[in-house]
Amino acid sequence: MSESKPTAAPPPKQVRTYQPTYQLNPKKRFDAEQIQKILQRVVSYELNEVEYSEKQIPELCLSLAETLRNAIKEENYNRYRIIVMVSIGQRRQQSVHIFHSFLWDHERDAFATFNYENCHLFANVVVYGVYLD
Amino acid sequence: MEVKECNDLSEENQFIVDDVSKIIKEAIENSIGGTAYQHNKVNQWTSAVVESCLGQLTKLQKPYKYIVTCTIMQKNGAGLHTASSCFWDNNTDGSCTVRWENKTMYCIVSVFGLGI
């Protein structure tokens, strides 16, 4: 028995075989509110009283993205692909606009965002969850 | 029942970074190419850039879901860092980020493509 899709054949290099599950929807939908609470908790903790410094912020940005991704993986959203984007900038009386748009299945895919500010920097975190069956 | 060979690494199913980055550069040049930063117009610009990117990407007719993010920042001597961490399938999914600037502002556009 091979991975079942009625209209496409299994890829030539497949080694694993699966029984079809006929499952059309994820068991646990991507819950934006719950994810936002996680973002709030982690980001406020990591960026509390942090100053903007050219050397440390790039690494902090990357490690924050990985921490968030791992925290969301703990939630066990089956069949979801996770994308985490973190932007950290220095506060200097400038104006920033961040805009996003997507082409996806709005019944199953969702996103969560969180904005954080302290007196030296601002941070914007967006997490997208995209379903694939 | 006819069975066709379906190779995951064929043109149809791969995220081609060069094509996408060309599309993004054109979209940025066309919308904010020669302009200076103007606070009341930025909203318009960001949505114009993103809409034109998405429009061109759908014309590629690939079985993909897209996420397009655009950040426009005024040039003020301030620093900005963006990082992203993703959990997906490297064979079918990919991302492309383009950084553009002129004398008064920076523009960063990221496109994520996720295969269906």
Side-chain angles (χ1 to χ4, degrees), chain B residues 1-115:
Chain B
M1 186 169 63
E2 199 182 286
V3 163
K4 278 189 258 180
E5 282 285 304
C6 172
N7 188 355
D8 253 349
L9 298 180
S10 66
E11 278 278 316
E12 270 287 304
N13 271 338
Q14 244 189 339
F15 189 78
I16 301 185
V17 180
D18 296 325
D19 288 348
V20 176
S21 103
K22 238 190 292 178
I23 290 177
I24 303 178
K25 286 187 186 141
E26 270 176 34
I28 300 180
E29 284 293 320
N30 291 338
S31 337
I32 52 181
T35 52
Y37 184 85
Q38 269 169 293
H39 187 74
N40 49 358
K41 288 225 180 130
V42 184
N43 273 330
Q44 241 179 310
W45 288 337
T46 43
S47 42
V49 168
V50 169
E51 295 304 322
S52 108
C53 268
L54 259 188
Q56 293 291 325
L57 287 168
T58 45
K59 285 197 189 149
L60 290 175
Q61 299 264 349
K62 288 198 173 177
Y64 270 84
K65 292 183 181 174
Y66 296 105
I67 297 174
V68 181
T69 305
C70 170
T71 305
I72 293 188
M73 188 168 97
Q74 203 179 2
K75 262 195 186 179
N76 205 352
L80 174 72
H81 281 275
T82 307
S84 74
S85 170
C86 311
F87 177 56
W88 61 27
D89 178 357
N90 270 329
N91 292 331
T92 53
D93 311 326
S95 76
C96 171
T97 309
V98 169
R99 239 182 31 196
W100 180 94
E101 65 181 274
N102 72 7
K103 283 200 197 126
T104 47
M105 57 184 173
Y106 294 109
C107 177
I108 303 174
V109 178
S110 299
V111 174
F112 297 95
L114 302 144

Side-chain angles (χ1 to χ4, degrees), chain A residues 13 19-21 24 31 39 48 57 65 68 108-109 120 132:
Chain A
K13 56 183 173 93
Q19 300 265 345
T21 61
L24 291 173
D31 187 358
L39 294 182
N48 195 17
I57 289 289
L68 284 168
R108 297 180 183 85
D109 307 329
H120 309 279
L132 173 71

Side-chain angles (χ1 to χ4, degrees), chain A residues 26-44:
Chain A
K27 281 191 187 139
K28 186 175 166 192
R29 267 198 76 184
F30 197 77
D31 187 358
E33 284 178 23
Q34 185 190 26
I35 297 290
Q36 198 182 29
K37 289 194 192 118
I38 299 178
L39 294 182
Q40 210 167 338
R41 197 188 65 212
V42 177
V43 173
S44 308

Side-chain angles (χ1 to χ4, degrees), chain A residues 4-117:
Chain A
S4 151
K5 274 190 188 168
T7 50
K13 56 183 173 93
Q14 187 184 17
V15 285
R16 279 193 185 176
T17 56
Y18 297 94
Q19 300 265 345
T21 61
Y22 303 113
Q23 194 183 336
L24 291 173
N25 277 324
K27 281 191 187 139
K28 186 175 166 192
R29 267 198 76 184
F30 197 77
D31 187 358
E33 284 178 23
Q34 185 190 26
I35 297 290
Q36 198 182 29
K37 289 194 192 118
I38 299 178
L39 294 182
Q40 210 167 338
R41 197 188 65 212
V42 177
V43 173
S44 308
Y45 176 71
E46 293 275 334
L47 294 183
N48 195 17
E49 301 292 328
V50 173
E51 285 195 13
Y52 190 89
S53 88
E54 278 275 311
K55 311 237 168 77
Q56 290 175 345
I57 289 289
E59 296 163 10
L60 178 60
C61 209
L62 204 46
S63 77
L64 184 59
E66 297 210 352
T67 311
L68 284 168
R69 187 195 64 193
N70 292 333
I72 296 173
K73 272 172 77 171
E74 298 280 311
E75 297 291 314
N76 266 330
Y77 283 106
N78 204 12
R79 292 184 171 189
Y80 269 98
R81 287 170 293 186
I82 312 283
I83 298 176
V84 176
M85 275 199 68
V86 175
S87 299
I88 301 186
Q90 197 178 10
R91 273 184 72 163
R92 274 254 211 136
Q93 319 282 330
Q94 84 279 28
S95 163
V96 185
H97 285 257
I98 302 180
F99 189 89
H100 64 176
S101 176
F102 15 79
L103 179 69
W104 65 19
D105 177 2
H106 76 269
E107 285 169 22
R108 297 180 183 85
D109 307 329
F111 71 92
T113 66
F114 179 62
N115 284 321
Y116 173 81
E117 275 184 52

